Amino acid sequence: MRRTLLPVAALALVAALSGCITITAPADDPDPAAAGQPTASTNVVDDETASPDAAPSAAPDTPGAPDPLRALTCEQLKTAALGNGTERYNGYAEPIPLVDGMWSGEDGTVVHMQQPCAIGDLTGDEAADALVPVLMDGGGTGKFWQVVMYGNIDGKPVYVTMLDIGDRTPVESVSISSRRATVVYLTRPEDASSAEVAVRRTAVYQLSGSRLVEISHTDTPYTP
């Protein structure tokens, strides 16, 4: 200790005498903040304030919102029934269940759903109904064409009624617009033979109760 203090004391004495040298002894534990050095700090950040761009939580569903009305599809009709408890199909006492759009009776009668079908609102309830051509073949020369309407009850097809188009009068197209059904089919003049088709008829129908009633038709010549 004496070796260290003697030179320092001597230097201090010289500085005091000369007036031009100042020596400050270093502190044993310097304060970093006093010396201008950075100090470590710990900050606690709230997650909610640190993420201003965080996605807001989804708004809860509105209770009591109505389900959207589901339209019928042509595919659904292939497994629907022809006829119901109050509306018979072509005189059959019981509804006829279709399998892949077909049905075969014990008497040899075959019912075959045709294409294309049409989807649209005919009842005014904004739920899209369906129209589809049907061909009934009894095994003889007669080929009876019909157009069947299905109503839309909770997205399921329910038989409403059937239009009898005629024997060997093929349906070319069906459509629905403004709550009216349009059927285009081939037919014949009143005095022509049943084997001859010479007229293309465009008939417009409207639902009245449980019946499709014709409100107009136009004819143009047809040549096979």
Side-chain angles (χ1 to χ4, degrees):
M1 177 65 71
R2 291 179 180 176
R3 290 182 181 179
T4 304
L5 294 177
L6 288 176
V8 173
L11 290 174
L13 180 59
V14 174
L17 296 175
S18 60
C20 60
I21 297 176
T22 303
I23 296 177
T24 303
D28 293 337
D29 296 315
D31 185 1
Q37 297 178 3
T39 59
S41 62
T42 302
N43 295 325
V44 178
V45 180
D46 191 343
D47 291 337
E48 294 181 358
T49 59
S51 303
D53 296 331
S57 59
D61 295 335
T62 302
D67 294 332
L69 299 175
R70 185 172 60 180
L72 296 181
T73 67
C74 296
E75 192 67 22
Q76 285 178 290
L77 307 184
K78 294 181 180 180
T79 54
L82 293 170
N84 59 40
T86 57
E87 292 290 334
R88 294 186 176 186
Y89 167 73
N90 213 56
Y92 285 89
E94 299 294 331
I96 294 175
L98 295 174
V99 177
D100 198 22
M102 294 186 65
W103 175 84
S104 297
E106 295 179 356
D107 59 356
T109 299
V110 177
V111 176
H112 192 187
M113 190 170 286
Q114 305 293 302
Q115 294 297 327
C117 86
I119 305 296
D121 181 20
L122 287 168
T123 61
D125 61 0
E126 298 183 358
D129 309 301
L131 284 177
V132 62
V134 173
L135 176 61
M136 173 177 279
D137 186 350
T141 58
K143 307 288 188 257
F144 299 96
W145 286 81
Q146 305 149 355
V147 173
V148 173
M149 175 188 167
Y150 287 96
N152 185 338
I153 304 298
D154 296 329
K156 297 179 180 180
V158 176
Y159 179 89
V160 176
T161 189
M162 180 265 289
L163 283 173
D164 187 4
I165 302 299
D167 179 17
R168 285 167 282 182
T169 53
V171 175
E172 292 190 325
S173 68
V174 292
S175 60
I176 300 173
S177 178
S178 301
R179 295 178 57 188
R180 293 182 177 182
T182 300
V183 182
V184 180
Y185 62 97
L186 302 179
T187 187
R188 60 191 62 85
E190 295 292 337
D191 56 351
S193 67
S194 59
E196 177 186 357
V197 289
V199 175
R200 175 178 281 117
R201 176 166 293 173
T202 301
V204 180
Y205 301 85
Q206 192 166 19
L207 188 66
S208 177
S210 60
R211 296 285 184 270
L212 285 170
V213 178
E214 182 179 313
I215 58 177
S216 67
H217 74 260
T218 57
D219 292 343
T220 56
Y222 170 77
T223 302

